[in-house]
Amino acid sequence: NKQVILKDYVKGFPKESDLILKTSIVKLKIPNQCSNDAVLVKNLYLSCDPYMRGRMGKTEGSYIDSFTPGSTITGYGVAKIVDSSNPDFKKGDLVWGLTGWEEYSLIRSTRGLFKIQNADLPLSYYTGILGMPGHTAYIGFYEICSPKKGEYVFVSAASGAVGQLVGQFAKLFGCYVVGSAGSKDKVDLLKNKFGFDDAFNYKEEPNLDAALKRYFPNGIDIYFENVGGKMLDAVLLNMRINGRIAVCGMISQYNLEDPDEGIGNLLCLVTKRIRMEGFLVFDYYNLYPKFLEMVVPLVKQGKITYVEDVAQGLENAPNALVGLFSGRNVGKQVVVVARE
Ligand code: NDP
């Protein structure tokens, strides 16, 4: 069983060498004492997600525990059941949810697993558009942003797993949408594939405030926040009265050893009566069936499109994961461990 192990707690930017590949010769089987809810799975696809950086460091009091140095890391993935002690999960069933970064995993509780019903769509989509990032885009946009038709929406990290969907949801809803991303190719994707009204490369903008004023001469109603730092500060100046900010993530801050310089424009929250709300997708899985009901037909009818960046093999998983923090991924970063 090939496994990806965390070497030691990470400080600063993660490197490929922080994760090591090991082969275990222990044959996995469901122990007798886990008699009613354990499953043994064959992992097919693994999801590379920015929140995993938090788990690679030594954190206390976070919403999720650190990984254990010397042990296999875990994350979202798509897998096939090969043995089960739970009658609701049968051998051959396809599932997505929390699993190990390894070829086969023993999952002691099925609480974090969802059975895959629409296996006629690409299975890798359950790491992205039909899985946690897709659900995040759905909750963040519809539940947290309270959108209205015709509003002006700005999305950062807009070509990524979450952002590309937020933009498409906002367009389908009748909003005007602009995205920012870190390369010309990504900007082209936003405009030509995902149908954003406009897009810009934030790395080529010496003054983010001036850039936002150019794209939103009348201001921003909704900001879907994925990056934090200087971008958030500039956005606050450009928000309209009663604007809303869904704080989904702040990837620009995840690798800083010292906290970034203070955000000077936070007072805009008061003067402009902005609602800025953080959310975690984990609190909203009760709405997952509702999300699928909306999004599966849209995907099948081609009304929503999704771009993936696919790395082949567990041996390329560490490189794929750390690539998120330099923007190497174009679209959702997935790792193929095995085909069915
Ligand atoms: P992406 O697929 O967007 O990959 C990460 C992207 O972030 C990179 O490709 C890069 O794109 C951009 N990026 C990396 N470093 C920086 C930086 N310093 N400044 C600006 N942009 C940067 O990831 P996801 O779509 O999976 O996640 C997007 C955000 O959503 C993250 O902040 C993540 O933590 C958050 N999230 C939150 C959830 C929740 O429950 N609240 C659940 C899921 C995700 P570029 O080339 O454009 O710079």
Side-chain angles (χ1 to χ4, degrees), residues 13 47-52 63 132-133 136-137 156-164 180-183 186 202-203 224-228 231 247-255 278-282 306 323-333:
F13 274 81
S47 174
C48 297
D49 292 294
Y51 82 91
M52 294 170 76
Y63 64 94
M132 186 278 279
T136 302
S156 54
S159 69
V162 177
Q164 56 174 301
S180 65
S183 73
K186 291 183 180 182
Y202 68 95
K203 291 182 180 164
F224 196 100
E225 165 69 303
N226 284 322
V227 306
M231 183 63 92
V247 185
C248 176
M250 295 196 177
I251 195 168
S252 74
Q253 308 296 298
Y254 298 173
N255 303 307
F279 70 101
L280 283 174
V281 66
F282 314 131
Y306 203 64
L324 294 178
F325 301 98
S326 57
R328 208 170 45 225
N329 61 309
V330 179
K332 168 69 202 173
Q333 184 66 61

Side-chain angles (χ1 to χ4, degrees), residues 54-288:
R55 304 194 72 187
M56 291 167 82
K58 193 171 181 161
T59 53
E60 274 160 34
S62 174
Y63 64 94
I64 194 161
D65 293 340
S66 295
F67 294 133
T68 308
S71 298
T72 307
I73 66 168
T74 56
Y76 284 97
V78 174
K80 190 175 185 167
I81 308 276
V82 290
D83 194 12
S84 170
S85 60
N86 178 336
D88 292 336
F89 289 81
K90 297 195 178 57
K91 187 174 168 186
D93 280 353
L94 292 164
V95 293
W96 76 268
L98 284 174
T99 187
W101 274 43
E102 55 195 343
E103 289 172 298
Y104 290 89
S105 297
L106 173 65
I107 301 177
R108 288 173 187 271
S109 159
T110 57
R111 226 167 15 137
L113 295 181
F114 296 86
K115 271 217 245 182
I116 293 179
Q117 311 290 357
N118 296 285
D120 51 336
L121 289 168
L123 279 181
S124 60
Y125 276 17
Y126 288 89
T127 67
I129 179 168
L130 301 178
M132 186 278 279
H135 192 46
T136 302
Y138 172 81
I139 293 300
F141 183 66
Y142 293 102
E143 297 287 319
I144 310 293
C145 294
S146 314
K148 294 188 209 66
K149 207 170 166 207
E151 284 193 319
Y152 290 84
V153 177
F154 177 51
V155 188
S156 54
S159 69
V162 177
Q164 56 174 301
L165 270 181
V166 175
Q168 293 182 78
F169 287 157
K171 279 311 299 171
L172 286 172
F173 200 81
C175 295
Y176 180 85
V177 192
V178 178
S180 65
S183 73
K184 181 180 177 304
D185 288 352
K186 291 183 180 182
V187 167
D188 288 346
L189 265 184
L190 294 178
K191 291 202 279 199
N192 304 327
K193 189 154 179 97
F194 303 133
F196 283 58
D197 293 289
D198 221 327
F200 64 92
N201 179 351
Y202 68 95
K203 291 182 180 164
E204 286 183 347
E205 296 290 347
N207 182 336
L208 291 173
D209 175 37
L212 291 168
K213 288 204 161 51
R214 215 162 62 233
Y215 290 97
F216 295 98
N218 298 315
I220 301 166
D221 294 298
I222 289 175
Y223 173 43
F224 196 100
E225 165 69 303
N226 284 322
V227 306
K230 291 190 174 63
M231 183 63 92
L232 173 58
D233 202 35
V235 166
L236 283 165
L237 279 181
N238 289 279
M239 290 298 290
R240 297 173 91 170
I241 305 278
N242 292 325
R244 283 133 280 143
I245 300 180
V247 185
C248 176
M250 295 196 177
I251 195 168
S252 74
Q253 308 296 298
Y254 298 173
N255 303 307
L256 301 180
E257 288 193 60
D258 298 314
D260 208 359
E261 62 215 54
I263 293 185
N265 293 323
L266 264 178
L267 187 61
C268 292
L269 292 178
V270 183
T271 56
K272 300 183 186 182
R273 286 80 102 194
I274 300 167
R275 194 165 92 195
M276 178 163 163
E277 184 173 348
F279 70 101
L280 283 174
V281 66
F282 314 131
D283 299 332
Y284 292 89
Y285 278 127
N286 59 317
L287 297 178
Y288 180 67

